[in-house]
């Protein structure tokens, strides 16, 4: 199995390491690569867009040609996991400022996202949340200037909420998380994504 982490800006290394740990735990033979050019994405069975700064990631996706490539592959069924800034980039709709600024969004997932939804007072925090798709044990969720999903439509499934707001969701081959699973030793979120990539 070949998984690529979009490595233009943000928490790329941590994401690669967490995906490797999840492969090891689930007994999957595979490679995890750092993807920064469109040509490197052809053979991938799964793509991860990490956290970082969504405005920068969006612009660099366009500049490298990865914008069209990731979009094409996702539309052809390749699983894509978007984490935090990556979740914003997956969305069809952003908040008013995002839309007004013309921030590039892949527009793949039927979700509306709000950037920096927890405000400046609470830039980062951790909380245990029930995420039934990952199993019975609560999952440690690390939020860093996190967005939330304000609205979902069509067949998007809500996977987790915090304070009533949606913080994880799935639509077929697309998976979005507002928190950073790569920053905890728990590999269940990445293992879940790898199962999607197995088909
Ligand atoms: N606040 C960032 C953004 O809007 C996302 C933060 C993150 O990815 N940790 O792009």
């Amino acid at each position: 199995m070949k998984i690529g982490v979009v490595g233009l800006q943000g928490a790329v290394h941590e994401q690669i390491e967490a995906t490797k740990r999840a492969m090891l735990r689930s007994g999957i033979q595979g490679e995890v690569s750092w993807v920064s050019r469109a040509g490197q994405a052809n053979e991938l069975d799964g793509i991860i867009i990490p956290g970082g700064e969504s405005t920068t990631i969006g612009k660099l996706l366009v500049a490298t040609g990865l914008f069209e490539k990731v979009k094409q592959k996702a539309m052809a069924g390749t699983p894509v996991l978007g984490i935090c800034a990556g979740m914003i980039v997956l969305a069809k709709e952003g908040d008013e400022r995002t839309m007004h600024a013309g921030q590039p969004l892949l527009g793949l997932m039927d979700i509306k996202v709000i950037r920096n939804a927890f405000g400046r007072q609470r830039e980062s925090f951790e909380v245990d949340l029930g995420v039934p798709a990952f199993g019975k044990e609560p999952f440690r969720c690390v939020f860093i200037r996190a967005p939330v999903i304000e609205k979902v439509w069509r067949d998007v499934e809500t996977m987790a909420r915090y304070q009533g707001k949606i913080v994880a969701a799935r639509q077929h081959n697309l998976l979005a998380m507002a928190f950073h699973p790569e920053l905890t030793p728990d590999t269940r979120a990445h293992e879940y994504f790898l199962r999607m990539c197995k088909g």
Side-chain angles (χ1 to χ4, degrees):
M1 182 189 289
K2 290 192 170 129
I3 304 294
V5 177
V6 171
L8 302 172
Q9 189 267 340
V12 185
H13 178 73
E14 294 86 340
Q15 209 58 248
I16 292 176
E17 290 307 309
T19 310
K20 285 184 180 167
R21 282 201 305 276
M23 280 183 173
L24 213 64
R25 270 199 81 96
S26 39
I28 291 173
Q29 301 277 337
E31 288 165 31
V32 189
S33 58
W34 183 303
V35 174
S36 55
R37 284 182 285 115
Q40 297 168 326
N42 290 329
E43 310 293 317
L44 298 177
D45 305 305
I47 298 170
I48 301 178
I49 308 175
E53 186 53 49
S54 60
T55 46
T56 310
I57 293 175
K59 281 184 203 152
L60 292 173
L61 280 169
V62 174
T64 54
L66 272 166
F67 189 91
E68 280 311 316
K69 174 62 79 177
V70 172
K71 201 162 172 161
Q72 258 172 27
K73 285 193 67 89
M75 284 166 75
T78 303
V80 182
L81 164 60
I83 290 175
C84 202
M87 172 176 109
I88 297 168
V89 172
L90 279 181
K92 282 220 169 121
E93 225 184 287
D95 51 38
E96 240 165 66
R97 265 183 61 198
T98 303
M99 299 312 272
H100 191 71
Q103 182 177 333
L105 302 178
L106 288 168
L108 287 164
M109 204 169 166
D110 289 307
I111 57 176
K112 173 176 179 173
V113 293
I114 308 290
R115 290 182 66 195
N116 304 316
F118 295 99
R120 298 229 164 261
Q121 299 86 333
R122 268 189 108 191
E123 291 233 311
S124 84
F125 58 96
E126 299 187 19
V127 61
D128 287 327
L129 294 181
V131 188
F134 300 163
K136 267 201 216 114
E137 290 295 311
F139 194 82
R140 187 78 175 162
C141 297
V142 181
F143 291 91
I144 305 170
R145 294 188 304 283
V148 292
I149 300 175
E150 191 187 61
K151 200 171 80 181
V152 303
W153 56 100
R154 294 191 15 176
D155 46 5
V156 175
E157 299 162 51
T158 294
M159 294 172 66
R161 286 180 188 265
Y162 175 59
Q163 293 182 336
K165 310 269 192 205
I166 303 171
V167 292
R170 175 174 176 179
Q171 187 176 29
H172 306 289
N173 58 319
L174 306 172
L175 183 62
M177 295 174 203
F179 48 86
H180 288 260
E182 77 282 7
L183 298 182
T184 66
D186 193 337
T187 53
R188 286 179 293 157
H190 286 82
E191 286 180 60
Y192 178 88
F193 179 63
L194 293 177
R195 285 197 294 278
M196 285 170 57
C197 299
K198 266 211 246 174

